[in-house]
Amino acid sequence: KILITGSSGQIGTNLFHHLSAIDGYSVLGIDKRRNDWDPSLETHIVDMADADQSESFARQHLEDVDLVVHLAAYAKVFELVEHPDRALENITMTFRALEFCRRRSIPIIFGSSREVYGDIERIITGESDADFVIAESPYSASKISGEALTYSYARCYGLNYLIFRFSNVYGRFDNDLV
């Protein structure tokens, strides 16, 4: 059973469709908003930044989860510049996902961003070139923090993880194309 956080977003919806089509996979989604693209996807409305709400939901519905794909985040850089408190919510949601995985010893896939590299004028040649010192926006700081938390959970608790750094994401479930 795979839990997708942020399952109402573009990447979450596409991934939900893909995984649901694979025999033997059971997929469950959580998001703080309903899935307007495909209401038939099993998406529960949960605010992961709310500790009580997320813990209560986890106890009631998520005992048999085998993998978490953590995509939940405010993802528009300009919006987090205007509302920097959303960056803190991104960090809090990542912390809650990591804690969920740590307590159950299940792996996590974290959806990060190319924004962790910093200045786009530099030439990036590999992962070691990511600039974790200077965040250019609250959004990039939230993704740098999410990666740092993920690495620390792997080191301290043996948590298995995979990090994807998405770049220039657009497609059929992109509300910016409307």
Side-chain angles (χ1 to χ4, degrees), residues 2 33 39 42 64 67 79 88 91 94 98-99 106-108 113 118 122 128 133 137 143 157 164 171:
I2 300 170
R33 63 183 171 89
E42 187 181 355
D64 58 346
L67 171 70
E79 286 180 6
L88 182 57
I91 296 165
T94 301
L98 287 164
E99 274 296 289
I106 58 174
I108 188 168
S113 168
R122 291 188 305 125
S128 63
V133 178
S137 71
K143 289 302 183 176
Y157 308 114
F164 281 100

Side-chain angles (χ1 to χ4, degrees), residues 114-164:
R114 60 127 335 261
E115 292 292 320
V116 302
Y117 293 119
D119 184 358
I120 60 173
E121 299 301 318
R122 291 188 305 125
I123 297 173
I124 303 302
T125 59
E127 184 175 331
S128 63
D129 292 328
D131 191 347
F132 295 108
V133 178
I134 300 173
E136 294 193 341
S137 71
Y139 174 75
S140 63
S142 75
K143 289 302 183 176
I144 290 168
S145 175
E147 286 193 22
L149 280 169
T150 301
Y151 296 141
S152 71
Y153 271 64
R155 184 176 197 139
C156 294
Y157 308 114
L159 186 68
N160 289 322
Y161 72 94
L162 184 61
I163 294 174
F164 281 100

Side-chain angles (χ1 to χ4, degrees), residues 73-94:
Y74 291 100
K76 300 200 179 340
V77 176
F78 70 91
E79 286 180 6
L80 273 73
V81 170
E82 293 174 359
H83 306 281
D85 56 308
R86 293 179 183 172
L88 182 57
E89 282 191 55
N90 283 355
I91 296 165
T92 300
M93 290 186 287
T94 301

